[in-house]
Amino acid sequence: MNLYKYITSFTLIDRIGIAAIFLMYAIFSTTLSLGKSVLQYGPIVTYIGLRMLISGIILLVYYCCALQKKIVFERKKDIIGFLNIALFGICASYVLCFWALQHLSIAKSAFLLILSPFFTAFFAWLHKFETFTPKKLLGLLIGALGTIPMLRSEERRVGKECRSR
């Protein structure tokens, strides 16, 4: 019996998409510990610049070869916007993140990264880009409750260190 005839292309994309999301988060979770160990061997800017250069080349090759499109900036305003995103959205945020990683533990850095959706939601609400529906508030509440075990484990670890001194 051929089961593939019952599977549409959308269900295959959904299954591949979920696997890609899990893979992406698995790779992303290693960046903090890998980044902390790499920072011992060189400056932050070199590491981030090399990382962004490699990922940019991969995306550029995909855009040009797989999609068979040319890179065209129609207006000078597009180039300025692209440079703003590159400088502030990527370079500054990663440099500050890894600079903080030099002075914090990986657990504290991961906890601060976990809080970023809450800050995003707060600033979106503050600038009236977002309204909170009961479903969104429930999601934020579940996410906030998910951070409690991390807070409690850090609290216990710090308490044990203080008592051992």
Side-chain angles (χ1 to χ4, degrees):
M1 185 171 154
N2 188 4
L3 295 177
Y4 287 110
K5 66 181 181 181
Y6 298 110
I7 299 175
T8 65
S9 61
F10 290 114
T11 57
L12 286 175
I13 290 171
D14 287 342
R15 289 183 185 180
I16 292 170
I18 295 295
I21 290 171
F22 280 119
L23 180 65
M24 179 188 69
Y25 277 107
I27 292 170
F28 183 68
S29 65
T30 62
T31 58
L32 287 177
S33 56
L34 184 65
K36 181 101 173 170
S37 61
V38 167
L39 290 176
Q40 298 173 13
Y41 301 109
I44 301 169
V45 178
T46 305
Y47 169 65
I48 293 169
L50 186 64
R51 184 176 158 192
M52 293 302 147
L53 182 68
I54 292 169
S55 62
I57 289 171
I58 291 170
L59 288 174
L60 194 61
V61 166
Y62 173 77
Y63 184 79
C64 292
C65 295
L67 299 178
Q68 296 178 351
K69 293 186 176 184
K70 291 183 179 179
I71 300 171
V72 177
F73 291 108
E74 295 178 7
R75 302 176 300 218
K76 285 188 179 185
K77 197 185 235 186
D78 293 339
I79 297 172
I80 293 170
F82 177 75
L83 292 175
N84 278 334
I85 290 171
L87 183 65
F88 295 110
I90 296 172
C91 187
S93 64
Y94 278 103
V95 167
L96 292 175
C97 176
F98 281 97
W99 174 75
L101 192 58
Q102 285 181 331
H103 304 287
L104 294 174
S105 69
I106 295 173
K108 287 180 183 177
S109 299
F111 180 70
L112 291 174
L113 285 173
I114 287 172
L115 293 178
S116 65
F118 299 106
F119 290 120
T120 302
F122 174 71
F123 285 119
W125 172 77
L126 190 67
H127 292 287
K128 297 184 178 31
F129 292 133
E130 190 76 37
T131 58
F132 290 124
T133 62
K135 191 183 264 188
K136 288 179 187 176
L137 287 173
L138 179 65
L140 284 170
L141 180 66
I142 291 170
L145 291 175
T147 62
I148 290 174
M150 188 175 218
L151 280 173
R152 297 207 26 99
S153 68
E154 185 72 20
E155 179 181 296
R156 278 191 227 129
R157 190 177 63 80
V158 170
K160 287 180 184 178
E161 287 176 4
C162 290
R163 283 183 285 224
S164 64
R165 290 182 188 170

